[in-house]
Amino acid sequence: MTIVYERSAYDVSANDGIKSAKAKKPVAKKPVPDFDVPEYTPGLAKEMAPMYARLSKVIPSVEWPFFAPYIHEINRIKKQKNAVILAHNYMTPEIFHGVADIAGDSLQLAIEATKVEEQVIVQCGVHFMAETSKLLNPEKTVIIPDEMAGCSLASSITGADVRAMREAYPGVPVVTYVNTSADVKAETDICCTSSNALKVVESLNAPRVMCIPDEYLARNVQKDTDVEIITYKGSCEVHERFTPEELREYRENDPGIKIIAHPECPPNVLDEADFSGSTSAMINWVKDNQPSKVMMVTECSMSDNVAVENPNVDFIRPCNLCPHMKRITLPKILASLHSMQDEVLVDPAIAERARLPIERMIALNNN
C-alpha cells in the first residue's frame, strides 16, 4: 500500500521563510542581447553540411540556416571560455546534437561533469539540474542560459515540507528523487533516480520508506517491493498528462507499434506499455530492440534525439513538451557564454548537507 502525504491547512512550509532556490517570485527576464553570429554563407553551409546530413530527419531544412550560425559560434566561443556544455535528453536536437559536449539524464550529466577539465559548466536543462551540477562540482562555475527554467515537480516541495513529513512519520527514512532543489536534498537521507529508485528504497532495510516527491514514481516502485511506500503529492506536468486511453487508441490505429513509457507516468499508463524504464533505459531499449515503429511516452524532444541515433526506427511522437526545458535556446546559450550568466550558486550551509544524499546514492550504484 502506498500512502500519499498531502500538505494540511496547518503546514507552514509556504510561510516559514525557508524556500527552495526556485521558490521565489518570478521576475522579468532580461532580453537576450544581440551578438554577432556568422552569416549563413555558402562556405558556412558547406562546413556545416556533415552535421546537417545527420540531423536532417529531425530539423527541417527551412530552420537550418538560422540554427547553423549559432551552432558554429557557440562551438567556437566555448573553447575560448574554457566551457563544457551539458545537455539533457529533453533539449531540442539543434542543442542536443549541435553544441552539447556531454548529453544524458540529469544525474549522468552532473557525474560526468566531475570528470571534465573545463572550469565552466553550461547546463542546458532546468534549474535543479544546474544545482546538482554545482553540488558535485563546487569549485567550478555553473551557468544556466535561463534562470527561470524551472520544474513543476521540483517546485512542488520545499525543505520545510520534508521536515513536516519527518514529524508526521518519525524515524522513517527519506528517499528523495534527484529532480528536486538543493533545499529539499539537504533534508533527505539518500537520493534516487527513476532507474535506481527500487534499489535505493530496498537498500535501507526499513519496513516503511518515504519516496518523494513524485507520487507516480513511488506508486510504480510500490508495485515491485514489499516495503510500504509513503509518498508526496508531486508530479511532472509532462508525464502526468498521458492517459491509458490515449495509448490504447494508438494501438488500435497501429497494432504493430511498440510503446515504452517513463515511470513518472501514472501506473495505469505503464500498464498499457510494452516496456517502462528510466530515460537511459528507454534509449537502450530502442537501441537494442530496433522496433520498426515505437512511441516513447515521455517528453517529445527525446524522441527526436533518439531518432538521430536510430535511423531505421519510425518514431510516433505523442508531443507533450516541457515548457521549462524549451526556455533554453541557442541564442540564450550564446548569450550566457558571452556574459557568463546566469551563474548558479548554492548556499554553502545547504550545499554541504545536500551533497551527502547524492554521494550516498552514487556509492550505492558503484557497489
Side-chain angles (χ1 to χ4, degrees):
M1 178 181 70
T2 306
I3 299 173
V4 182
Y5 175 91
E6 296 189 55
R7 287 175 177 161
S8 75
Y10 301 101
D11 283 343
V12 296
S13 57
N15 300 302
D16 68 351
I18 304 174
K19 305 289 175 68
S20 71
K22 296 313 290 175
K24 58 185 181 182
K25 183 181 294 186
V27 295
K29 179 67 179 172
K30 54 184 175 294
V32 178
D34 291 327
F35 293 108
D36 290 334
V37 294
E39 295 181 7
Y40 189 66
T41 62
L44 181 60
K46 182 177 181 180
E47 181 182 346
M48 302 289 286
M51 179 180 290
Y52 185 63
R54 187 164 174 261
L55 301 180
S56 59
K57 187 178 178 180
V58 294
I59 296 180
S61 59
V62 70
E63 296 179 2
W64 186 244
F66 173 78
F67 290 147
Y70 277 99
I71 292 172
H72 185 279
E73 184 66 6
I74 289 168
N75 286 332
R76 183 189 69 81
I77 197 172
K78 70 183 180 184
K79 297 177 182 177
Q80 292 183 351
K81 298 285 188 173
N82 193 26
V84 61
I85 296 179
L86 277 56
H88 189 266
N89 291 295
Y90 297 168
M91 288 291 100
T92 48
E94 69 275 8
I95 296 173
F96 189 88
H97 292 288
V99 300
D101 299 295
I102 302 172
D105 62 30
S106 57
L107 186 65
Q108 177 186 356
L109 294 178
I111 294 173
E112 290 300 316
T114 64
K115 305 174 184 178
V116 301
E117 296 181 358
E118 289 85 355
Q119 289 303 304
V120 177
I121 297 170
V122 182
Q123 188 84 38
C124 295
V126 293
H127 196 273
F128 78 78
M129 298 176 186
E131 272 193 338
T132 305
S133 290
K134 182 64 177 179
L135 291 173
L136 293 178
N137 300 274
E139 77 289 350
K140 295 187 178 181
T141 299
V142 177
I143 58 177
I144 186 168
D146 190 328
E147 66 176 348
M148 297 306 294
C151 170
S152 62
L153 179 58
S155 64
S156 73
I157 190 168
T158 68
D161 293 320
V162 184
R163 292 193 292 275
M165 290 188 72
R166 283 193 182 276
E167 290 181 8
Y169 302 99
V172 177
V174 180
V175 174
T176 297
Y177 200 16
V178 75
N179 298 31
T180 49
S181 68
D183 176 48
V184 170
K185 291 182 177 74
E187 302 296 334
T188 194
D189 295 304
I190 186 170
C191 283
C192 75
T193 67
S194 56
S195 62
N196 67 14
L198 176 62
K199 180 179 180 180
V200 171
V201 165
E202 295 192 332
S203 74
L204 297 171
N205 296 314
R208 307 175 89 195
V209 170
M210 283 185 259
C211 187
I212 60 175
D214 193 299
E215 177 187 354
Y216 296 132
L217 176 65
R219 286 186 179 276
N220 289 317
V221 169
Q222 183 70 89
K223 293 189 296 185
D224 296 320
T225 183
D226 292 329
V227 178
E228 183 181 29
I229 301 292
I230 301 166
T231 191
Y232 182 86
K233 199 72 175 177
S235 60
C236 166
E237 66 185 276
V238 171
H239 293 100
E240 70 177 349
R241 293 204 302 267
F242 292 105
T243 67
E245 293 78 15
E246 177 185 6
L247 271 58
R248 287 195 291 269
E249 184 175 348
Y250 275 103
R251 285 199 192 277
E252 290 171 5
N253 294 332
D254 195 340
I257 193 172
K258 295 296 183 182
I259 298 177
I260 61 177
H262 194 279
E264 288 179 19
C265 295
N268 59 1
V269 170
L270 267 59
D271 290 342
E272 299 292 333
D274 297 295
F275 172 81
S276 65
S278 66
T279 298
S280 57
M282 294 172 76
I283 294 171
N284 290 334
W285 191 94
V286 173
K287 187 187 304 181
D288 294 341
N289 290 276
Q290 291 292 295
S292 59
K293 190 175 291 186
V294 69
M295 184 172 78
M296 304 183 79
V297 185
T298 187
E299 213 276 349
C300 191
S301 291
M302 181 167 149
S303 293
D304 287 338
N305 294 327
V306 179
V308 173
E309 305 289 351
N310 297 273
N312 296 322
V313 177
D314 184 12
F315 287 80
I316 306 301
R317 295 167 173 83
C319 252
N320 285 354
L321 294 171
C322 174
H324 312 290
M325 290 283 187
K326 276 15 181 202
R327 296 184 74 97
I328 308 299
T329 64
L330 289 174
K332 288 180 181 178
I333 296 170
L334 182 58
S336 69
L337 282 167
H338 274 285
S339 64
M340 287 290 106
Q341 294 178 338
D342 292 302
E343 185 175 0
V344 176
L345 300 172
V346 181
D347 184 324
I350 292 177
E352 185 176 353
R353 292 186 294 126
R355 189 179 304 115
L356 289 175
I358 303 173
E359 291 176 341
R360 290 183 187 123
M361 178 186 65
I362 293 172
L364 179 65
N365 273 9
N366 291 338
N367 289 339

